[in-house]
């Protein structure tokens, strides 16, 4: 290890240890984002209807997108299972992610284990810092997440105040309240000043640490809402699921809280696999875990979740340029930067990523490149661009070593939700693991031109040194080795002048040592470095697939103005759980063989489809599939039996065309591959208006 | 609940509770299979070379297929990470699985959580029965898996005996021994009778329970091989990873040992999603966990593994027919049935699945259909048919309620390995969960014809009954309700004859009760049932993806006779991690744009590819990619710059053709989609012999 690198590592590590709190980009509170959004709970569909969350949730349960796990056993909060449509939607999102990132950028995908030994997460900081604050009621044994409790109690008081003032309480808030700890609100009017105080406090509820939350609980007399009992002061609760690996109890382990650590530990092997070429990116898709104290907000805060993470390793020298930045530089993003947030505003600014990087708002090209690629990915999925913004982290939100971090946030009925984090984590992670294990998690490359380094070097006369310091020898030598260049220069002058120097050294009995000329020599010399060694920096785009999936559902959800009771999920064809619904007009026996044949042909083309030959009306069957988000429907009728033509229905417009089997199948293939739109197909093929189908 | 069903449930549950051991089909010992294979450790490649496992393992590590997790922290046994080729191979196997089963059979795929509350796995039997036996050395604290220890010590003694007799010990056994607990063997000759005794014992080592293992340890004086210290008697060690869900310690949970339970619990919802139509199948792909006492055998016995499981729910009435059985009935399988195993043989018999089902060897059509489909899937992957057999479970290997079970076993250098289990689990799982929770995990359907049931019904005169039996009333009533039809008939005659009857009843003070005419009436009456209610039976094909992946690698591994040092992995194109290698002849600047263009075109067609523009020779670069299993290579040379033609190389034959860019890309697409073979391409396009490429 070169000496200069050693200093960097030590200083890095010291900073790490000194940092009082470490935040974890992938686990930011969703409430923070929600607070920053003044229009929470009133989000509109593309046709301008208000998204009524309970109506949507009922649709999602009815159509089995997802449901609480272990429901027949009473359920476990924060755990959800995906049913067939949710599972297919998730698989399609993952598939698109893999194509958009891994295949397109030649990333090295790995699959690392979830079980992780203690030591690894101790080093990464998770054992000590990955925690929320909890309060216990000593009488009932109930446990509350401290910040949530303060928030809910104060919100209930504000609601009671509104009631006392005769103001209207929003319906959605009522619904929310039902899920909360605070069941009853009392109509008690508060002083205007208290209302303001509460509101200000709620806006920054995520910034309080345990002590401060404890003080708030005392100051505002916050108790167990059910029993009115006093609570113990907040204590930290580590959010990792702990277990034991193997039969003996001396190998504690955890379920990983992120996929990132496995990728960092594989760095050296991946670099070699990549034939030592930098930069490169690794990627991983897999479940991570977070033992929430009291999960809420459906799929947005769960205990087991699918993540897709990229670690792009880059040389910190040369400004972190990206060779494909040109391709994206004109893309416009909605940015909510740090300074605007500090001013108390949530106004976003539209700006090309080229400008954002060139003005220094976004730290570097590589970070900017990924922000643009993230936006393109989200739009491909069907995310509504007007409900997407990139929010820059405040300094206290980032890990101390991070250079810059932006979250892609999506607007939902829960407020603005962080769905993708994109951080420049600098060399922090590789450095701590390297320091702990000694593994060379770094890059070594020959320099085109050898580097000449002028530096103050120290030589000790070992023959005299050993006998003089005896058992202190090693301590003294290490302390001398660690002297900075500045100090060496000063000491060299002192030694020249006085013939002796004195150095303070911890760990020797006298606390300092005296060294004279002849025993020590300090000289400026030139050293030549032929290889360069550096710890790469890491740009980390980190995707919460479940959050994206839920937000996407809200974004594509709407209903027809003439039939608001029935919902439609307008997934783009590539993402839709099922692509085609096959509907025989009735259960007449002549339809069966045609349905089978078309089904087999679609299957062979890799196009997922389902047959609905139930006895419900055609219209009912189609509307069931509108709720499932199936973009296309083929009707098999008596005309089909005669001339082998079929009608093709578009979910969003409910318009139909009629054409031969081959034409219809070809159109579907082009639509699903994204090579034609419905408008293209409608222009090419004759319209059909014969049946009632919506 | 109909009465007849109630009896079935009760009797099912009783049998369950009485069964002393329950085996778990997906977790069968791989050693059992290995034992049954006399030719362990000598397996040949398709070209007849012996598979040297350490050579293959070195290739797999070098090419980063997989590697021990957390290696820079010293590793954790039984945990492996997949590097880019292993990860892509796994994704391709999963993709093929999804197409072959889920899409082809319209299965309902679900994604359920790994975290599972205690109660669910208590009901399923895992909390009580999913365990191995372990022995502790009280002095050192070391823990041994009891059956492994007995096996290893006796094997070492047999080896020592061979040495003492001057017999050759196989090389591979030497290598194996290095990984084991027993480091040194002593050349001590044993009596011939003892050798036979040891050999017989080893052949059935998996059949011993804890007490029996304890007796063997005493009888054969088996001690800690390192210290020669005595061991404590074997105790059960539960193989599930335990954790706590949420902040309070009263919600214990486990990481699931199989994906099946999540599917059973969702049965009711899935039936509804399927519009109440039976039969149907659910499917799940996901990680499961098993906290091995001392993992070994690489990827074959790990603590965290990917499974793909199907639960096919079927009406038990009507012989479990399958509507697509016709399509597979002529497929030939190698079967190793129960009776042959009992006779001590491992000779397989080739038989069509049609015959196997019609003769009753395989219990029913649905089970047979899936065995055939499993074989077809494995062959698609590239499994060598001569190294595939289906082994029927012995009666004591199955869960007590299972009807029949066959494992697809693959032959590897570790012996015959269970890679897919296919069991008819009858109604066992749904029944226990239904009994525990009361949830209607069953099917209710209207009968086309109402069912007339003649049965003996009992009526009690409640007015007299209550005062007579007081607090025993409920117990007596329940006992009477539970009387069988046969007994009722007998009692009716007795009552008619004697005017009174006596019934033995546990739980009442006298142990029996007397009942007279007037208090009890027993009559034969006709009941009409309009709906039929039944608990479906489950056929469960369960795939260990990691085991299949490893076995596949052994099956496709070989080396060219003229260059045995370099390996080749002949994956079929659909499964190969990367499809195409792009190789510019040198780093001449004119090649760059061509490589880029071809790469982009392949990417757009969804064909994974990698560029190798390192300075190694063409031959070296190709042989690197033979080891990665990349089926095709495109060379870009000076001729390409001139006329836009490229050479296309086939991995297995090393033959090349040369054609225009469009022709080459089209050929690759057809090859990867499986629509053409290399022989087809070679016939169509002109051969090229210009370069040295192997």
């Amino acid at each position: 290890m070169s000496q200069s690198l050693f200093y960097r590592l030590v200083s890095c590590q010291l900073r790490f240890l000194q940092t009082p709190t470490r935040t974890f980009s992938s686990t930011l509170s969703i409430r923070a984002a929600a607070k920053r959004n003044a229009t929470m709970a009133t989000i509109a569909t593309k046709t301008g209807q208000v998204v009524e969350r309970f109506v949507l949730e009922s649709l999602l349960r009815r159509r089995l997108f997802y449901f609480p796990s272990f429901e027949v056993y009473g359920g476990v909060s924060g755990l959800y299972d995906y049913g067939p449509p949710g599972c297919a939607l998730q698989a399609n999102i993952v598939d698109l992610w893999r194509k958009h990132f891994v295949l397109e950028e030649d990333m090295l995908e790995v699959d690392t284990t979830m079980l992780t030994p203690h030591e690894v997460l101790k080093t990464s900081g998770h054992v000590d810092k990955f925690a929320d604050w909890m309060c216990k009621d000593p009488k009932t044994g109930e446990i509350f997440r401290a910040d949530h409790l303060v928030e809910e109690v104060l919100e209930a008081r504000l609601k009671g105040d509104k009631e006392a003032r005769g103001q209207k309480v929003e319906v959605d808030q009522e619904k929310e309240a039902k899920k909360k700890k605070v069941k009853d609100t009392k109509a008690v009017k508060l002083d205007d000043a208290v209302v303001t105080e509460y509101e200000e406090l709620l806006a920054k509820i995520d910034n309080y640490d345990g002590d401060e939350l404890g003080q708030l609980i005392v100051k505002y007399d916050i108790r167990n809402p059910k029993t009115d009992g006093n609570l113990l002061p907040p204590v930290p609760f580590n959010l990792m699921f702990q277990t034991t690996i193997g039969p003996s109890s001396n190998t504690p382990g955890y379920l990983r809280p992120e996929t990132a650590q496995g990728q960092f530990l594989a760095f050296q092997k991946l670099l070699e696999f990549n034939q030592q070429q930098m930069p490169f990116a690794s990627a991983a898709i897999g479940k991570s875990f977070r033992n929430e104290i009291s999960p809420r907000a459906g799929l947005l805060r769960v205990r087991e979740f699918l993540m897709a993470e990229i670690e792009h390793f880059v040389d910190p020298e040369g400004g972190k340029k990206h060779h494909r930045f040109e391709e994206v530089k004109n893309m416009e993003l909605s940015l909510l930067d740090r300074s605007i947030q500090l001013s108390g505003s949530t106004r976003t600014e539209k700006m090309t990523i080229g400008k954002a990087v060139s003005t220094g708002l976004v730290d570097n090209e590589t970070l900017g490149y990924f922000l643009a690629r993230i936006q393109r990915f989200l739009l491909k999925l069907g995310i509504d661009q007007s409900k997407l913004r990139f929010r820059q982290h405040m300094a206290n939100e980032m890990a101390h070593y991070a250079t810059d971090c932006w979250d892609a946030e999506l607007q939902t009925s829960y407020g603005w939700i962080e769905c993708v984090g994109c951080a420049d984590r600098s060399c922090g992670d590789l450095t701590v693991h390297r320091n702990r294990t000694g593994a060379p998690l770094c890059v070594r490359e020959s320099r085109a031109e050898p580097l000449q380094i002028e530096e103050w070097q120290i030589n000790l006369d070992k023959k005299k040194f050993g006998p003089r310091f005896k058992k202190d020898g090693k301590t003294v030598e290490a302390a001398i080795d660690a002297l900075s260049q500045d100090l060496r220069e000063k000491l060299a002058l002192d030694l020249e002048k006085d013939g002796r120097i004195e150095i303070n050294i911890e760990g020797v009995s006298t606390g300092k040592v005296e060294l004279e000329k002849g025993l020590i020599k300090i000289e400026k010399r030139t050293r030549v470095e032929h290889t360069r060694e550096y710890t790469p920096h890491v740009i980390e785009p980190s995707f919460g697939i479940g959050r994206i999936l839920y937000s996407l559902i809200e974004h594509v959800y709407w209903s027809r103005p003439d039939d608001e009771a029935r919902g439609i999920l307008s997934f783009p064809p590539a993402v839709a759980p099922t692509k085609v619904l096959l509907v025989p007009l009735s259960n007449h026996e002549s339809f069966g063989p045609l349905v089978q044949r078309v089904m087999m042909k679609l299957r062979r083309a890799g196009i997922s489809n389902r047959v609905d030959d139930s006895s419900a009306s055609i219209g009912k069957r189609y509307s069931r599939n509108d709720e499932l988000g199936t973009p296309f429907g083929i009707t098999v009728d008596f005309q089909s039996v005669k001339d082998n033509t079929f009608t093709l229905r578009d979910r969003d417009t409910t318009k139909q065309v009629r054409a031969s089997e081959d034409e219809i199948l070809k159109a579907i293939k082009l639509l699903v591959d994204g090579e034609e739109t419905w408008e293209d197909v409608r222009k090419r093929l004759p319209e059909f208006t014969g049946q009632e189908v919506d």
Side-chain angles (χ1 to χ4, degrees), chain A:
Chain A
M1 196 190 302
S2 78
Q3 253 184 338
S4 64
L5 180 75
F6 177 77
Y7 291 126
R8 194 144 32 93
L9 294 187
V10 169
S11 90
C12 230
Q13 192 182 37
L14 286 177
R15 274 200 296 136
F16 183 79
L17 293 174
Q18 287 155 2
T19 305
T21 58
R22 186 188 167 188
T23 61
F24 292 84
S25 66
S26 59
T27 55
L28 252 191
S29 167
I30 57 162
R31 289 168 312 105
K35 290 290 160 208
R36 283 183 290 273
N37 166 38
T39 60
M40 173 170 175
T42 48
I43 181 171
T45 66
K46 63 176 184 177
T47 46
Q49 301 133 309
V50 170
V51 173
E52 299 275 15
R53 198 195 305 146
F54 70 102
V55 177
L56 174 58
E57 278 176 355
S58 136
L59 181 161
L60 295 174
R61 278 189 69 102
R62 195 166 61 245
R63 296 302 169 213
L64 219 56
F65 275 83
Y66 60 91
F67 48 91
S69 307
F70 313 108
E71 214 168 15
V72 302
Y73 278 84
V76 177
S77 60
L79 294 181
Y80 289 89
D81 293 345
Y82 289 85
C87 193
L89 180 58
Q90 179 182 259
N92 293 341
I93 292 174
V94 166
D95 187 54
L96 211 67
W97 190 89
R98 206 174 245 140
K99 281 187 188 133
H100 186 84
F101 291 105
V102 179
L103 191 63
E104 176 70 26
E105 316 260 2
D106 255 339
M107 291 173 177
L108 304 181
E109 190 178 339
V110 295
D111 184 6
T112 65
T113 62
M114 298 166 205
L115 287 165
T116 309
H118 174 88
E119 202 55 30
V120 170
L121 294 162
K122 177 75 184 172
T123 305
S124 69
H126 288 85
V127 170
D128 297 324
K129 305 280 174 60
F130 188 63
D132 278 341
W133 296 96
M134 68 174 183
C135 287
K136 191 169 179 173
D137 180 328
K139 282 203 187 121
T140 65
E142 273 174 288
I143 290 168
F144 301 91
R145 186 168 148 179
D147 54 345
H148 283 190
L149 183 68
V150 171
E151 188 185 20
E152 292 187 11
V153 169
L154 297 190
E155 276 175 356
R157 288 183 193 167
L158 286 173
K159 188 165 159 265
D161 171 71
K162 278 196 171 179
E163 282 172 21
R165 289 169 193 249
Q167 294 171 356
K168 192 168 165 279
V169 176
E170 281 179 37
V171 180
D172 197 84
Q173 279 184 18
E174 291 264 27
K175 292 223 172 58
E176 275 310 289
K178 281 189 195 150
K179 297 186 186 169
K180 292 189 176 180
K181 305 280 181 208
V182 184
K183 300 289 177 195
D184 304 308
T185 53
K186 290 179 197 131
V188 176
K189 187 171 178 302
L190 306 170
D191 283 351
D192 289 358
V194 171
V195 170
T196 312
E197 198 176 331
Y198 282 4
E199 280 170 350
E200 282 174 4
L201 192 155
L202 286 172
K204 50 188 178 180
I205 187 73
D206 295 310
N207 299 336
Y208 299 107
D209 66 17
D211 283 348
E212 290 164 337
L213 287 167
Q215 287 158 18
L216 293 177
I217 286 168
V218 173
K219 181 173 175 191
Y220 297 110
D221 192 26
I222 288 167
R223 300 157 181 244
N224 182 336
K226 266 182 260 175
T227 64
D228 215 34
N230 280 315
L231 301 169
L232 296 176
V235 293
F237 171 68
N238 191 290
L239 297 172
M240 290 191 293
F241 287 95
Q242 192 168 357
T243 190
T244 300
I245 302 174
S248 107
S249 56
N250 53 24
T251 317
Y254 304 93
L255 295 177
R256 67 179 174 200
E258 57 179 10
T259 72
Q261 300 304 324
Q263 298 183 61
F264 296 137
L265 297 184
F267 171 75
Q268 204 186 336
K269 291 186 170 73
L270 293 170
L271 178 63
E272 197 181 328
F273 183 82
N274 208 43
Q275 303 178 357
Q276 306 293 338
Q277 287 176 25
M278 287 284 294
F280 75 91
S282 63
I285 302 167
K287 291 269 170 83
S288 295
F289 301 82
R290 187 183 158 109
N291 198 6
E292 294 289 343
I293 295 173
S294 49
R296 53 187 201 186
L299 285 193
L300 299 180
R301 187 165 283 296
V302 290
R303 287 177 164 148
E304 177 177 329
F305 46 92
L306 190 65
M307 294 184 86
E309 291 190 301
I310 294 163
E311 309 297 335
H312 180 92
F313 299 99
V314 60
D315 186 341
E317 283 186 14
K320 304 182 188 175
K321 298 278 178 207
H322 195 286
H323 74 290
R324 295 180 69 176
F325 189 70
E326 273 298 303
E327 297 174 31
V328 301
K329 70 172 188 195
N330 294 322
M331 197 188 295
E332 259 195 356
L333 275 62
S334 286
L335 302 177
L336 174 57
D337 71 38
R338 198 175 287 155
S339 64
I340 290 179
Q341 293 171 70
L342 272 176
S343 76
S345 165
T346 58
R347 187 179 40 78
T348 59
E349 191 177 354
K350 287 211 170 166
M351 195 186 289
T352 66
I353 192 65
K355 188 177 166 200
V357 170
S358 67
T359 57
L361 184 59
V362 168
D363 186 75
N364 58 70
E365 272 192 8
T366 301
L367 188 61
Y369 176 74
F370 279 108
L371 293 182
R373 293 281 300 157
I374 290 166
Q375 168 157 311
R376 191 163 283 166
F377 169 70
L378 293 172
L379 298 182
K380 258 190 207 171
L381 289 185
I383 288 298
D384 179 343
Q385 188 159 10
S386 71
K387 294 171 185 165
L388 162 64
R389 73 182 183 193
F390 288 87
R391 189 184 68 78
Q392 190 173 32
H393 275 207
M394 311 303 286
N396 69 355
E397 280 181 273
M398 296 195 293
H400 69 87
Y401 50 71
T403 311
D404 194 6
C405 181
W406 293 78
D407 287 341
E409 295 187 334
L410 300 175
Q411 196 182 19
T412 73
S413 63
Y414 290 98
W416 284 95
I417 305 301
E418 174 207 341
C419 290
V420 188
C422 192
D424 181 336
R425 289 167 76 130
S426 119
C427 63
D429 304 278
L430 289 177
T431 303
V432 291
H433 288 300
R434 179 177 184 175
N435 288 351
R436 178 67 189 79
T437 64
L441 301 174
C442 59
V443 178
R444 290 198 186 99
E445 54 182 33
S446 332
R447 294 182 181 279
E449 297 272 314
L451 189 67
Q452 312 262 334
I453 303 164
E454 284 231 315
E455 64 182 13
W456 292 93
Q457 293 183 355
I458 296 182
N459 294 95
L460 299 169
D461 184 331
K462 292 290 166 86
K463 268 189 202 152
K464 292 181 190 167
F465 188 84
R468 167 90 67 95
F469 293 104
K470 301 198 176 73
K471 69 175 174 46
D472 286 340
K474 279 198 174 164
T475 312
V476 174
E477 207 178 332
I480 290 171
D481 269 356
L483 293 171
S484 71
Q485 285 292 315
D486 285 352
L487 206 55
R488 284 169 186 228
E489 181 168 6
K490 184 183 166 300
L491 290 171
L493 295 175
D494 290 351
L495 189 63
E496 189 57 42
K497 201 174 68 184
D498 307 331
R500 48 172 290 282
I501 52 174
E502 207 175 79
I503 304 174
N504 296 324
I505 296 177
E506 268 182 51
V508 299
S509 51
T510 52
K512 59 186 176 184
V513 299
E514 205 181 278
L515 301 157
E516 71 279 354
K517 257 191 189 167
L519 183 65
I520 188 169
K521 198 192 276 183
I522 311 180
E523 284 180 345
K524 194 159 204 171
R525 299 196 200 109
T526 300
R527 186 165 53 82
V528 181
E529 255 186 28
H530 294 275
T531 52
R532 179 179 160 232
E533 184 180 285
Y534 66 91
T535 303
H537 282 204
V538 176
I539 315 288
E540 180 190 81
S542 169
F543 297 70
I545 300 295
R547 289 183 174 190
I548 292 172
L549 181 145
Y550 177 78
S551 305
L552 172 63
I553 289 174
E554 276 207 9
H555 287 201
V556 301
Y557 169 68
W558 61 293
S559 56
R560 308 199 199 282
D562 57 347
D563 187 3
E564 300 212 348
R566 296 196 287 189
I568 301 150
L569 295 176
S570 288
F571 298 113
V575 177
T578 304
K579 313 305 180 197
V580 181
L581 173 72
L582 284 165
V583 191
L585 191 64
S586 70
N587 58 6
H588 192 277
E589 59 180 19
S590 63
F591 300 149
L594 273 73
V595 169
Q596 280 297 314
R597 198 181 60 218
V598 173
M599 186 186 76
M600 291 304 289
K601 285 190 179 174
L602 285 170
R603 194 178 281 165
R604 220 167 293 137
I607 295 168
S608 65
N609 60 86
R610 281 189 75 81
V611 176
D612 187 348
D613 52 9
S614 70
S615 58
S617 74
I618 292 257
K620 218 165 202 161
R621 283 185 273 170
Y622 272 133
S623 82
R624 185 149 66 195
N625 275 271
D626 288 347
E627 291 197 337
L628 284 165
T630 309
F632 308 110
I634 294 178
T635 319
V636 179
D637 55 20
F638 290 105
Q639 188 71 24
S640 312
V641 179
K642 266 190 240 164
D643 65 3
N644 207 28
T645 63
F646 298 88
T647 68
L648 177 64
R649 173 193 185 263
D650 173 54
R651 171 196 60 207
D652 295 350
T653 61
T654 73
K655 298 290 182 201
Q656 294 184 86
V657 294
R658 178 158 209 127
S660 71
E661 181 179 342
D662 286 351
E663 284 276 21
I664 294 291
L665 290 174
K666 187 179 140 202
I668 289 174
K669 177 91 179 119
L670 291 169
L671 285 163
V672 169
D673 288 350
E675 289 174 27
E676 272 196 349
T677 64
W678 173 253
E679 278 314 303
D680 298 331
V681 171
R682 246 188 105 190
K683 274 179 210 150
R684 281 204 293 110
L685 301 179
E687 191 165 348
F688 177 74
T689 51
Q691 294 145 197
E692 196 283 300
V693 291
D694 58 1

